[in-house]
């Protein structure tokens, strides 16, 4: 092993488990119906009890909230709906007392159109901030090209003051920043260093694969200068402190991921890749066009990422985030086997190599919702609904897509208890609470040793106890088996085996397998093992052995 790799091996985040908070839906302290920083502070005990090491906080900076904070108008201030800079400093300090680090969400691909930079930029072509954004000359009504924005419509918007179009990959209120401009890059580094000084533990980088766009060539992700920009960014900021950094990269392949998460630490700690997430989206189709989950493909994808990044990069492990439907509703069973399947999905993921992320409510087995369209708040969902109605899609088909894929599935308020509004707020919640909170809530699970919460808590504890979780080499078992997802992790000293029935049919182990009693059961999702060689619906087991004992 090279010297740098050894240094990287010791990184704290290799044994860490990170919890994502979507602030507006987590906990409301002042009754305005929107979660806030004081709300998070009041739940630090809960998070410590779960055992997590860090919180990834979705954006809390000042923002007109066109995309719930992913449109930032001041990177160095907190949005009043969440609190103040003082609250943020308090959160960082109090979290530290609970041995929890705060990871901020950096939205560097675009700013809000209400950011001072953009307000200036659109005044005149000569304005010093003009070149902070991406402009193209043109005639009103004839955009430079037909590139589409992620939230509907074209990616170009006309500004009459300058008689130019600006480029936006997301909403019109999210103009793309021009990373080609060294002055802009310098401002970004200064801002990040200011947050590092405040004591944050790391950063999640929003759509970071899209910063080096070249709209004239219709390039959005993986632009030619992407890794050059990332190396500079990392050198000027992250490398000065012991931080964790995770880039959101929808376009990441294993080859790209090895660049991003190179153990030499020249770019980021890791990336969120989405190959395992996009499997129920057909080639060339949109995420709203539903298709079934190809199970063997899911196994192949995980196996490949585990193998390819072994000692050459680092994986992030996740099923959920604020943009995705709830995993138990998607690939588990959110009715009869909700508890079993939620635990199975947790055990399956947490045994792998990488840093696991838990999205708020995942540790309770929170589920998707099916609301009337008026209840949805997400800009993407609302635009999609209009767009498809206009294209003539039947309403019930559109709603089926929304039930399955809307980002609001993840954004309903955290279910704390069985009281009013699930204990999320004293006021009127900004988005409707999932009506199943009477049954699914934190209070009923915290003290229950058989709860989904307890399962997550145990998985976090085990990861810290056995080095094989961070270090073991991955080997898929029974690759072609159409029901079982099973793998082994191996180091010189230890072995870990994870065996999961991914479906609701009872199933036997593949016939060639003989019972081996040298394994110790670390965790499973049924009270006891009934028949060792038979897996009940969604049954999941994690075994361990010390090679010396055999
Ligand atoms: C990322 C965020 C998403 C946001 C988008 C634009 O994908 O996770 O919530 O809408 O970037 O910032
Ligand atoms: Ca509030």
């Amino acid at each position: 092993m090279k010297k740098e790799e050894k240094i990287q091996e010791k990184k704290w985040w290799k044994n860490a488990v990170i919890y994502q908070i979507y602030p507006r839906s987590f906990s409301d302290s002042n009754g305005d119906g929107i979660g806030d920083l004081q709300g998070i502070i009041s739940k630090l005990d809960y998070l410590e009890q779960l055992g997590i090491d860090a919180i990834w906080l979705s954006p809390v900076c000042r923002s007109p909230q066109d995309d719930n904070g992913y449109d930032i108008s001041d990177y160095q201030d907190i949005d009043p709906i969440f609190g103040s800079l003082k609250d943020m400093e308090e959160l960082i300090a109090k979290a530290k007392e609970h041995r929890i680090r705060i990871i901020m969400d950096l939205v560097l691909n675009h700013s809000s159109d209400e950011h001072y930079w953009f307000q200036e930029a659109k005044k005149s072509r000569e304005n010093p901030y003009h070149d902070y954004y991406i402009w193209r000359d043109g005639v009103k009504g004839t955009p430079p090209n037909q590139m589409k924005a992620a939230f509907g419509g074209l990616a170009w918007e006309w500004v009459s003051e300058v008689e130019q179009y600006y480029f936006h990959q997301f909403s019109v209120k999210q103009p793309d920043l021009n990373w080609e401009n060294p002055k802009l890059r310098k401002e970004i580094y200064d801002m990040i260093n200011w947050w590092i000084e405040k004591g944050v533990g790391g950063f999640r980088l929003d759509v970071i694969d899209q910063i080096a766009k070249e709209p004239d060539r219709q390039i959005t992700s993986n632009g030619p200068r992407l890794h050059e920009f990332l190396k500079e960014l990392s050198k000027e900021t992250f490398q000065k402190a012991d931080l964790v950094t995770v880039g959101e990269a929808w376009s990441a392949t294993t080859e790209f991921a090895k660049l991003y998460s190179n153990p030499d630490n020249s770019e980021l700690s890791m990336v969120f890749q989405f190959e395992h997430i996009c499997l129920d989206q057909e080639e060339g189709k949109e995420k709203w066009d539903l298709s079934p989950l190809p199970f063997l493909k899911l196994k192949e994808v995980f196996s490949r990422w585990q193998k390819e990044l072994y000692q050459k990069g680092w994986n992030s492990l996740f099923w959920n985030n604020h943009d995705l439907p709830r995993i138990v509703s998607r690939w588990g069973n959110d009715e009869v086997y909700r508890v079993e399947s939620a635990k199975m999905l947790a055990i399956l993921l947490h045994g792998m190599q990488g840093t696991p992320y838990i999205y708020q409510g995942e540790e309770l087995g929170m589920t998707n919702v099916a609301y009337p369209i008026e209840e949805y708040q997400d800009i993407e969902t609302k635009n999609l609904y209009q767009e498809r109605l206009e294209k003539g899609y039947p309403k019930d088909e559109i709603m089926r897509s929304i039930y399955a894929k809307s980002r609001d599935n993840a954004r309903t308020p955290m279910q704390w208890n069985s009281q009013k509004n699930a204990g999320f707020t004293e006021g009127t919640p900004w988005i409707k609470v999932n009506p199943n909170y009477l049954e699914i809530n934190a209070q009923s699970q915290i003290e229950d040793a058989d709860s989904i919460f307890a399962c997550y808590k145990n998985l976090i504890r085990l990861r810290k106890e056995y080095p094989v979780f961070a270090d073991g080499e991955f080997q898929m078992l029974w690759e072609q088996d159409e029901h079982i997802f099973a793998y082994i992790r191996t180091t010189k000293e230890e072995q870990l085996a994870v065996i999961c029935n991914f479906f609701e049919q009872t199933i036997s182990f593949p016939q060639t397998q003989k019972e081996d009693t040298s394994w110790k059961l670390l965790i499973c999702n049924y009270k006891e093992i009934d028949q060792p060689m038979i897996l009940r619906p969604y049954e999941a087991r994690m075994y361990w052995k010390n090679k010396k004992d055999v």
Side-chain angles (χ1 to χ4, degrees), residues 221-313:
S221 306
N222 302 313
R225 296 187 69 187
L226 174 61
H227 294 279
E228 174 198 333
F229 290 153
L230 282 173
K231 287 197 168 71
E232 185 186 272
L233 164 67
S234 172
K235 188 160 151 283
E236 297 297 327
T237 60
F238 313 141
Q239 285 174 33
K240 297 178 183 167
D242 183 23
L243 301 175
V244 64
T245 50
V246 51
E248 182 198 25
W250 285 83
S251 64
T253 58
T254 51
E255 287 312 307
F256 285 128
K258 284 186 246 179
L259 294 176
Y260 288 116
S261 66
N262 190 320
D264 71 4
N265 202 26
S266 58
E267 296 191 11
L268 304 171
S269 315
M270 66 193 106
V271 283
F272 292 125
Q273 61 86 14
F274 292 86
E275 231 191 301
H276 63 302
I277 294 294
C278 294
L279 287 174
D280 56 356
Q281 177 178 334
E282 274 171 48
E283 198 55 40
K285 292 253 177 88
E286 292 182 34
K287 78 173 191 184
W288 309 101
D289 303 311
L290 308 178
S291 73
L293 171 70
F295 179 60
L296 290 182
K297 183 82 188 146
L298 177 76
K299 296 202 325 189
E300 184 273 320
V301 167
F302 270 120
S303 173
R304 178 156 39 80
W305 278 85
Q306 288 286 303
K307 282 192 172 146
E308 289 279 319
L309 266 57
Y310 179 65
Q311 293 181 342
K312 299 205 182 74

Side-chain angles (χ1 to χ4, degrees), residues 22 56 67 70-71 105 107 110 151 170 174 204 206-207 248 250 321-323 407 411:
Y22 196 66
W56 152 27
D67 184 19
Y70 283 91
D71 48 319
D105 208 322
V107 187
H110 46 269
F151 300 152
F170 296 89
Q174 293 167 298
R204 177 260 188 189
D206 193 60
V207 288
E248 182 198 25
W250 285 83
N321 66 31
H322 64 292
D323 294 329
R407 306 196 294 183
R411 299 176 181 186

Side-chain angles (χ1 to χ4, degrees), residues 15 37 134 163 173 216 290 307 354 475 488 505-506 528 530:
N15 290 307
L37 295 178
I134 298 172
E163 302 208 304
K173 288 184 66 62
D216 302 319
L290 308 178
K307 282 192 172 146
Q475 174 71 53
I488 302 240
Q505 297 89 337
T506 297
E528 63 237 358
D530 185 9

